[in-house]
Amino acid sequence: MIIAANFKSNLTLQKIKNYFSVLDSFVNGNDDVYVFPPFFAMQEKAKNFHIGVQNAYCEFNGAFSGEITLESLNDFGIKNILIGHSERRNIFGENQELCARKFDFFAQNNFSIFYCIGESLETRKKGKSAIEDFLSSQFDRIDVDYEKLIVAYEPVWAIGTGVSAKIEEIEETHNFLRTLTKRPLLYGGSVQLQNISDILKIKNVDGALIGSASLDVENFKKMIEVARGKK
């Protein structure tokens, strides 16, 4: 099971230092754990879990004010990235063309790519066919056979709302996604300690991408413990 934490724009550097120290002592070699902190914490190190970047631009360096580029990531030894998160798409206007460009660039540079997809509530209400058409469109120009691809299905209406998709909804969607790629499929969207066990039991769910529930390291440790029992 892959268990990943996306801190988004939360926590201070000192809090992250403390978090990493606690987590590194807890995680063992059998766990597959990733943490995506804000960029200012990229210099922190971990022996037993992987650190990734929440966003980066698809160039080595250059005149891209405010962006993180490959040169910086190489300097920090970072080889894991989130691409296509709904907040990047919906708040910052990243369209499918840009997501695909980022994917191609970081795949060429041998990154593990957590590629995020997910539909809005409006699309969900239109039914199964609309959901599947929309999710398929988010794979446009994406190499679904890339060996370091990890797909994270995060229904937009469940992110940060405290409302997770129903077990039946997750299973149906993940079964469809399995027809599109053989790569690991994670579920994200209000994953909590109370529901992670049931989520990880679902067929074709290979792990979880966790947002706010991961900000407390003790809570995140408990979620990793749950995942250990699902292998």
Side-chain angles (χ1 to χ4, degrees):
M1 287 287 173
I2 299 169
I3 302 297
N6 179 12
F7 288 178
K8 306 185 182 183
S9 297
N10 293 292
L11 304 181
T12 63
L13 181 58
Q14 188 56 54
K15 288 179 179 179
I16 292 172
K17 285 176 180 284
N18 295 340
Y19 187 114
F20 279 14
S21 177
V22 172
L23 185 62
D24 215 21
S25 298
F26 173 77
V27 174
N28 62 51
N30 295 320
D31 298 320
D32 199 2
V33 174
Y34 293 77
V35 177
F36 295 87
F39 183 70
F40 60 74
M42 289 294 102
Q43 77 274 15
E44 298 304 309
K45 303 297 180 184
K47 293 181 180 179
N48 297 315
F49 64 91
H50 309 281
I51 299 172
V53 67
Q54 299 174 20
N55 173 58
Y57 192 59
C58 42
E59 292 286 350
F60 181 72
N61 58 21
F64 309 105
S65 297
E67 289 293 328
I68 303 154
T69 56
L70 182 61
E71 184 176 34
S72 298
L73 297 179
N74 286 346
D75 196 36
F76 292 122
I78 299 297
K79 298 296 290 185
N80 310 291
I81 187 171
L82 293 177
I83 293 177
H85 193 282
S86 64
E87 291 158 4
R88 298 300 312 174
R89 294 178 190 263
N90 298 329
I91 298 175
F92 300 102
E94 295 191 4
N95 59 20
Q96 186 58 31
E97 180 183 359
L98 179 55
C99 289
R101 282 174 53 206
K102 287 185 174 184
F103 188 98
D104 289 345
F105 180 82
F106 287 102
Q108 290 171 13
N109 285 280
N110 202 36
F111 273 62
S112 292
I113 298 174
F114 285 64
Y115 183 66
C116 303
I117 59 171
E119 81 285 358
S120 66
L121 183 59
E122 180 182 6
T123 301
R124 167 63 56 174
K125 288 180 176 179
K126 292 179 181 178
K128 181 180 178 182
S129 179
I131 295 167
E132 292 181 353
D133 287 346
F134 182 81
L135 295 178
S136 295
S137 74
Q138 292 192 312
F139 283 106
D140 183 39
R141 287 185 51 199
I142 301 299
D143 181 3
V144 296
D145 296 317
Y146 176 56
E147 63 178 357
K148 291 189 175 183
L149 165 65
I150 299 164
V151 176
Y153 168 61
E154 297 187 299
V156 177
W157 47 273
I159 297 174
T161 63
V163 179
S164 180
K166 295 177 182 178
I167 296 300
E168 297 79 11
E169 292 171 326
I170 299 171
E171 182 171 21
E172 181 177 65
T173 305
H174 276 245
N175 286 345
F176 167 69
L177 294 174
R178 179 57 69 220
T179 68
L180 302 181
T181 181
K182 296 180 180 179
R183 304 306 306 152
L185 301 173
L186 310 187
Y187 173 75
S190 294
V191 179
Q192 308 286 336
L193 183 58
Q194 303 95 300
N195 63 17
I196 189 172
S197 180
D198 290 337
I199 290 171
L200 295 182
K201 291 177 184 176
I202 300 171
K203 181 181 178 182
N204 289 318
V205 171
D206 303 307
L209 177 57
I210 303 161
S212 60
S214 71
L215 296 177
D216 182 326
V217 68
E218 295 302 323
N219 196 59
F220 190 53
K221 284 165 56 180
K222 291 176 183 177
M223 299 175 89
I224 294 170
E225 284 185 325
V226 173
R228 288 172 176 169
K230 305 300 179 184
K231 292 183 179 180

